[in-house]
């Protein structure tokens, strides 16, 4: 835990995120989509069952419109008629709930040309179907679940890492170096956040629920980290879901 806390303290991206954790991630992903539409478009297309020939139309990227975290259009570079609208619900500090997802899909007019994505730090066990990466909301609309771990792996994978591809995508060598540094820091930040999130899961129903006195809470209460509220909130949400599963 000490090494994890030290790594977070040294991360510029983590320190910038402290102002608004969920908004920060949505804004950063929107920036990535604008700067690297083909790479990010390929990643999201793969997870919603489309070919990896899709790219994002940067001019369609919108943030916090009608309470939707992030949305944009993707187009197949091999078929200009193949266009889909992407709606992303982003969950970092809290667990997703089916009524919220249903509310967003209910407002969508052209569902045949819209793909819904839940990007979540926590695995929504209480919502997933047997297919593991799909959720069916109250309107019978399909949502595709992508974890932050998966997003980080996708950004790092392929023959040539995403970070090193940036040299060919940015005009200025200095800009390329800067982009590589902040994206590398962001990927490391996601991994650290995922490690903390794993500690919020209640693995043993008989564990003591005095979370304010455990070592993880004390470490996250550090004034330079300020994530103790995140830890308690996630613990309580897991407890609520456990109770719900017992009584339903």
């Amino acid at each position: 835990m000490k090494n994890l806390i030290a790594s977070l303290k040294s991360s510029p991206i983590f320190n910038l995120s402290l102002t608004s954790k969920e908004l920060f991630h949505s804004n950063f992903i929107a920036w990535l989509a604008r700067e690297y539409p083909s790479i990010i478009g390929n990643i999201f297309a793969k997870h919603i069952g489309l070919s990896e020939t899709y790219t994002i139309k940067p001019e369609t990227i919108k943030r916090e419109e009608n309470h939707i975290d992030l949305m944009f259009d993707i187009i197949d570079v091999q078929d200009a008629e193949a266009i889909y609208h992407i709606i992303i619900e982003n969950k970092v500090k809290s667990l997703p709930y089916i009524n919220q997802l249903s509310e967003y899909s209910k407002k969508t007019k052209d569902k045949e040309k819209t793909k819904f994505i839940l990007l979540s730090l926590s695995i929504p066990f209480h919502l997933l179907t047997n297919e593991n990466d799909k959720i069916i909301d109250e309107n019978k609309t399909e949502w595709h679940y992508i974890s932050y771990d998966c997003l980080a792996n996708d950004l790092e994978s392929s023959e040539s890492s995403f970070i090193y591809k940036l040299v060919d995508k940015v005009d200025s060598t200095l800009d390329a170096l800067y982009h590589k540094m902040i994206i590398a820091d962001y990927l490391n930040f996601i991994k650290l956040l995922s490690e903390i999130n794993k500690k919020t899961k209640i693995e043993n129903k008989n564990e003591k629920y005095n979370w304010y006195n455990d070592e993880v809470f004390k470490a996250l209460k550090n004034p330079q980290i300020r994530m103790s509220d995140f830890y308690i909130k996630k613990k309580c949400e897991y407890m609520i879901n456990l109770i719900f599963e017992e009584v339903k």
Side-chain angles (χ1 to χ4, degrees):
M1 197 66 195
K2 285 183 178 179
N3 291 337
L4 195 155
I5 296 298
S7 296
L8 284 175
K9 284 182 181 179
S10 66
S11 165
I13 290 293
F14 168 72
N15 283 277
L16 288 171
S17 78
L18 289 173
T19 54
S20 180
K21 294 182 178 68
E22 225 149 71
L23 285 173
F24 172 83
H25 287 279
S26 296
N27 286 333
F28 195 86
I29 293 167
W31 173 79
L32 283 174
R34 278 193 299 271
E35 294 294 317
Y36 309 103
S38 294
I39 297 172
I40 303 303
N42 288 347
I43 288 174
F44 283 120
K46 177 183 70 173
H47 285 286
I48 58 179
L50 299 176
S51 68
E52 294 181 43
T53 56
Y54 279 82
T55 185
I56 293 169
K57 298 177 71 175
E59 68 274 13
T60 66
I61 297 171
K62 294 178 182 177
R63 286 280 299 105
E64 290 298 320
E65 186 170 289
N66 297 323
H67 304 292
I68 294 171
D69 292 323
L70 179 61
M71 53 182 154
F72 48 76
D73 291 346
I74 58 173
I75 184 170
D76 191 336
V77 296
Q78 297 177 359
D79 180 4
E81 298 297 315
I83 301 176
Y84 288 92
H85 185 56
I86 306 298
I87 287 178
I88 298 178
E89 171 63 9
N90 184 22
K91 287 294 182 186
V92 177
K93 294 177 68 176
S94 58
L95 293 174
Y97 289 96
I98 201 71
N99 58 336
Q100 187 179 26
L101 301 183
S102 301
E103 191 65 30
Y104 295 147
S105 68
K106 183 180 179 180
K107 295 176 183 177
T108 303
K109 295 179 181 178
D110 189 2
K111 289 188 181 180
E112 287 189 11
K113 299 298 289 184
T114 302
K115 299 289 186 178
F116 298 85
I117 294 173
L118 170 65
L119 178 63
S120 177
L121 183 64
S122 299
I123 302 173
F125 292 108
H126 57 300
L127 301 181
L128 290 173
T129 65
N130 292 331
E131 294 183 62
N132 286 333
D133 64 343
K134 290 186 176 64
I135 296 166
I136 305 299
D137 69 20
E138 294 168 343
N139 304 313
K140 308 300 181 186
T141 302
E142 185 177 83
W143 287 76
H144 300 264
Y145 160 63
I146 305 175
S147 70
Y148 266 91
D149 268 340
C150 188
L151 177 64
N153 290 336
D154 283 342
L155 290 172
E156 284 189 317
S157 66
S158 77
E159 290 181 18
S160 176
S161 170
F162 172 81
I163 295 172
Y164 293 101
K165 287 180 182 178
L166 302 188
V167 176
D168 301 324
K169 302 291 180 182
V170 182
D171 294 334
S172 163
T173 302
L174 185 61
D175 284 346
L177 179 61
Y178 174 63
H179 283 200
K180 284 196 287 185
M181 290 173 66
I182 62 172
I183 293 171
D185 188 25
Y186 180 70
L187 296 183
N188 185 54
F189 170 36
I190 290 176
K191 292 176 183 177
L192 293 172
L193 207 55
S194 294
E195 286 303 309
I196 291 174
N197 186 65
K198 288 172 185 175
K199 297 180 184 298
T200 69
K201 189 177 178 184
I202 299 175
E203 301 284 359
N204 181 3
K205 293 181 182 180
N206 296 317
E207 74 172 66
K208 293 181 179 180
Y209 301 127
N210 184 14
W211 302 312
Y212 290 92
N213 200 41
D214 68 27
E215 293 305 313
V216 177
F217 175 82
K218 291 176 181 177
L220 295 177
K221 198 176 179 181
N222 185 301
Q224 291 180 275
I225 301 299
R226 305 204 309 266
M227 288 191 66
S228 56
D229 61 331
F230 166 85
Y231 179 70
I232 293 298
K233 183 176 182 179
K234 282 295 187 76
K235 279 285 192 183
C236 289
E237 286 187 328
Y238 272 118
M239 174 63 78
I240 289 170
N241 281 322
L242 284 175
I243 294 172
F244 177 77
E245 289 298 319
E246 287 292 327
V247 301
K248 74 174 183 180

